[in-house]
Amino acid sequence: MPDTSTGSRRSRGTTGNTATPSRRTVLAATAGLTTALAVGGTAHAGAPDDKKLRALIARMTLPEKVGQLFVMRVYGHSATAPDQADIDANLKEIGVRTAAELIARYRVGGIIYFTWAHNTRSPHQIADLSNGIQKASLTQPRGLPVLVSTDQEHGIVCRVGEPATLFPGAMAIGAGGSRADARTLGRIAGQELKALGIRQNYSPVADVNVNPANPVIGVRSFGADPAAVAGMVAAEVAGYQRSRSDRQVAATAKHFPGHGDTAVDSHYGFPVITHTREQWDRLDAPPFRAAVRAGIDSIMTAHIMVPALDDSGDPATLSRPILTGILREELGYDGVVVTDSLGMEGVRTKYGDDRVPVLALKAGVDQLLNPPSLDIAWNAVLKAVQDGELTEARLDESILRILRLKAKLRLFEEPYVSQGGVDRNVGTASHLATADRIAERTTTLLVNEGPLLPLSRSTHPKVLVVGADPASPSGTTGPPTGVLATALTELGFTATALSTGTTPSAGTIARAVEAAQAADAVVVGTYNVTASSTQKTLVEQLLATGKPVVAVAVRNPYDVAHLPAVPAYLASYSWTDVELRAAARVIAGRVAPRGKLPVPVQRADDATRVLYPIGHGLTYGSS
């Protein structure tokens, strides 16, 4: 369920974790680990000492080594004192009560944060949770720092919400066309995540969205042009990883070998990509090659089958020809390989949950992300080593890569974060202003007959805002109609909001039409419109009133093809506040639209014909 609590950046509250441990406590808790590793002189240079890391690995027990390979979810806002409902969820799914117990039992090397797991209520709480997790691990025998991760793509996938800075998503950034903006996004987002103790971000999406029907990637992709996507991926990686004197967070290019051309969501099915090897090289590979050249720290696998790359029928996550043969040997990548969630259907279709982690390691994976049952997966890997199916040396290869990354991130020296660091870095006025400026460069004007836009306050003072109100990606923004109405009111209009939903009923449509009669103009937010969608009926009936109608596609820009009679159509590419506020400023003429389509929009009646090509985008003064 979405977490709607934003908390306060200035008030820590009570999380159940102890205060940030001192430097002396850190050194004592690690029992000489930092001194033995001696990363102080090498971490700044980004070149950890493999000899010392190997010596550290040699001291580990086999169960500790197995644990280091796993990145696991855990419920609760605190590492030691979560709410009772979260304790119950942990007992049911993992067999432990808290994050601290999870670490003590399984010695996991990583933990992933989710909004629905109540890990991300507010910045200070997140920082306390991260510190509690680190303390729980570092106080274990031969304790190691934990690599905390999350999916903070921005746009429609965000686990940390307001008051942290939220940026436009990938397709919006692609529409803006600025690699400098992509780099700035990575720099600021990385700075804020680091302050929260989150050091591995599963972003950027490197998939090239060449299929408009793609149900799982879509606007999470920078676009449909492989070269353009490659440039944006490399720029964002540079922002995340090369800011200041050391890496802020580890960026993660996903989903290898490319999830852009599928009509199946790998969360619920097993997609098959039918690209030839030549098509893969031309369409899917360029962003991943660019990520490797940019020094990407981690790459996430896709639970998809690509017969041209491996005809065994296995998903890429379990494919040695793809992960070792292509990614490691052909692309020359020697960083961390992390699976997509092992709870997704795409990786569970062919094999049981006990075989999946073992086969993933045999294929070349390093980190095993979020198995449905940690106990089954952990014991399966342990047994595979004890039975000789996996060698301990194979585990050591992956652990070395993981520890190299932790050393690069200076986690051995600085595992803890401070509350002052949260206040100095998270959701600052300058960061929020930068996000607003970037968003203004992404809003794309697809149609402007008349021209209707910009809308005049003198001729159209009363505005009705209707449309879809999908749940906030981060649990902390929206609803879209309310955000647009508030923004337009602040810009001098008298705007009212009426939510009509993604599937408006006849009664809802009638109420919207009646409300439109009293307005001078109507702004309608559309969300994934199809030929049979009642959203289409809503817009058509609003047009029939004779009132000027401005539509904003709040997710896929492809909506415009189904509503050719709308006189003014904008694409915002997501429904988070930062993008909707930018769209309102464009509607009001405070800024001119500058975005250009990063994907083609095909005709609704003939998908072989392009209605609006890549690069299409109007500005004021054009028609």
Side-chain angles (χ1 to χ4, degrees):
M1 67 187 75
D3 181 349
T4 57
S5 172
T6 60
S8 168
R9 287 198 301 115
R10 301 296 172 186
S11 176
R12 287 183 59 184
T14 301
T15 66
N17 291 333
T18 58
T20 305
S22 68
R23 171 70 172 171
R24 181 174 297 176
T25 303
V26 173
L27 292 175
T30 57
L33 174 60
T34 303
T35 303
L37 189 57
V39 297
T42 60
H44 290 282
D49 189 326
D50 274 7
K51 182 178 180 181
K52 291 171 182 175
L53 292 175
R54 291 180 193 279
L56 184 60
I57 294 169
R59 296 171 53 201
M60 298 168 65
T61 67
L62 178 57
E64 290 167 0
K65 290 182 178 182
V66 172
Q68 195 64 204
L69 304 173
F70 284 94
V71 181
M72 189 59 184
R73 70 190 180 278
V74 65
Y75 290 86
H77 70 289
S78 163
T80 55
D83 294 341
Q84 186 61 49
D86 293 322
I87 291 174
D88 294 341
N90 285 328
L91 286 170
K92 179 180 179 181
E93 294 186 18
I94 315 172
V96 299
R97 294 167 52 86
T98 67
E101 289 183 14
L102 166 68
I103 291 165
R105 180 175 300 184
Y106 293 104
R107 304 298 295 272
V108 293
I111 285 180
I112 180 173
Y113 287 171
F114 290 106
T115 309
W116 51 260
H118 310 136
N119 305 139
T120 57
R121 291 180 177 179
S122 69
H124 282 294
Q125 167 269 318
I126 298 170
D128 278 347
L129 174 60
S130 298
N131 285 339
I133 285 169
Q134 297 297 356
K135 182 179 180 182
S137 185
L138 292 169
T139 52
Q140 295 294 319
R142 296 168 299 280
L144 295 170
V146 174
L147 190 54
V148 177
S149 62
T150 200
D151 293 282
Q152 191 77 351
E153 297 175 13
H154 294 271
I156 73 168
V157 176
C158 264
R159 310 305 187 198
V160 179
E162 293 181 348
T165 305
L166 299 179
F167 284 92
M171 192 170 285
I173 297 296
S178 170
R179 295 183 184 182
D181 284 349
R183 190 161 47 249
T184 298
L185 184 160
R187 175 178 59 81
I188 291 176
Q191 182 180 338
E192 296 200 7
L193 289 173
K194 180 180 180 181
L196 301 174
I198 299 170
R199 304 304 302 278
Q200 184 179 24
N201 188 20
Y202 299 138
S203 188
V205 172
D207 304 314
V208 181
N209 199 73
V210 296
N211 187 344
N214 193 323
V216 64
I217 304 301
V219 294
R220 297 167 63 194
S221 163
F222 288 108
D225 180 338
V229 173
M232 291 296 176
V233 166
E236 195 167 300
V237 169
Y240 277 119
Q241 296 188 178
R242 297 181 181 175
S243 298
R244 301 182 181 179
S245 61
D246 60 90
R247 282 166 163 76
Q248 298 193 123
V249 301
T252 308
K254 62 186 186 185
H255 308 80
F256 190 82
H259 209 316
D261 189 6
T262 175
V264 175
D265 185 341
S266 53
H267 290 84
Y268 310 108
F270 186 20
V272 178
I273 308 295
T274 58
H275 289 181
T276 65
R277 175 60 198 247
E278 185 278 330
Q279 287 175 317
W280 180 82
D281 281 321
R282 177 168 51 85
L283 293 173
D284 303 292
F288 292 102
R289 293 185 189 278
V292 172
R293 287 194 298 269
I296 189 82
D297 281 329
S298 53
I299 290 178
M300 180 178 286
T301 68
H303 304 325
I304 58 175
M305 180 168 59
V306 189
L309 305 183
D310 178 2
D311 61 4
S312 68
D314 287 343
T317 296
L318 310 182
S319 169
R320 186 170 179 82
I322 291 175
L323 299 187
T324 298
I326 295 177
L327 180 56
R328 296 243 187 251
E329 296 172 1
E330 290 187 27
L331 272 60
Y333 177 67
D334 193 36
V336 170
V337 173
V338 55
T339 70
D340 206 342
S341 171
L342 297 183
M344 293 165 60
E345 187 61 31
V347 79
R348 303 172 75 190
T349 299
K350 188 174 178 182
Y351 300 101
D353 293 337
D354 58 335
R355 294 300 299 154
V356 166
V358 175
L359 294 174
L361 290 169
K362 293 176 77 171
V365 157
D366 301 307
Q367 288 184 306
L368 300 161
L369 176 62
N370 203 26
S373 168
L374 179 59
D375 193 64
I376 289 173
W378 190 93
N379 279 292
V381 174
L382 181 68
K383 185 175 186 298
V385 177
Q386 292 170 339
D387 291 349
E389 183 179 6
L390 286 171
T391 66
E392 198 164 343
R394 169 64 193 91
L395 268 57
D396 292 352
E397 291 175 14
S398 287
I399 296 166
L400 178 60
R401 293 191 186 99
I402 293 166
L403 295 187
R404 278 177 185 157
L405 181 52
K406 292 182 180 183
K408 283 181 183 178
L409 296 170
R410 302 188 68 208
L411 279 170
F412 289 100
E413 281 194 340
E414 301 175 3
Y416 297 102
V417 294
S418 70
Q419 298 300 334
V422 172
D423 290 330
R424 289 190 298 272
N425 292 286
V426 179
T428 65
S430 64
H431 288 179
L432 296 172
T434 298
D436 279 334
R437 288 195 299 271
I438 289 175
E440 288 176 352
R441 295 190 278 270
T442 68
T443 306
T444 306
L445 181 59
L446 302 173
V447 181
N448 192 21
E449 295 175 0
L452 174 58
L453 296 179
L455 211 57
S456 168
R457 288 176 296 170
S458 60
T459 58
H460 302 88
K462 296 181 180 179
V463 178
L464 173 68
V465 180
V466 302
D469 274 334
S472 167
S474 64
T476 58
T477 66
T481 54
V483 172
L484 281 169
T486 298
L488 289 169
T489 297
E490 291 172 350
L491 292 166
F493 296 88
T494 301
T496 56
L498 174 63
S499 176
T500 51
T502 56
T503 55
S505 66
T508 298
I509 293 171
R511 285 192 294 274
V513 169
E514 181 180 2
Q517 302 293 345
D520 299 306
V522 179
V523 174
V524 56
T526 66
Y527 181 95
N528 293 2
V529 176
T530 63
S532 60
S533 172
T534 54
Q535 290 183 67
K536 184 177 178 181
T537 306
L538 168 69
V539 175
E540 289 170 346
Q541 292 196 22
L542 289 170
L543 287 168
T545 66
K547 301 291 184 177
V549 174
V550 179
V552 182
V554 300
R555 184 166 178 166
N556 290 330
Y558 312 115
D559 289 1
V560 66
H562 294 282
L563 294 163
V566 173
Y569 221 126
L570 295 161
S572 69
Y573 307 98
S574 183
W575 59 97
T576 51
D577 293 6
V578 68
E579 288 156 302
L580 295 175
R581 288 195 305 264
R585 292 194 291 275
V586 169
I587 290 170
R590 292 296 179 91
V591 295
R594 294 174 54 181
K596 305 292 182 183
L597 274 176
V599 293
V601 174
Q602 283 86 13
R603 290 176 58 111
D605 59 350
D606 184 356
T608 65
R609 297 175 62 188
V610 173
L611 180 63
Y612 299 115
I614 291 177
H616 172 77
L618 307 176
T619 191
Y620 295 141
S622 64
S623 59

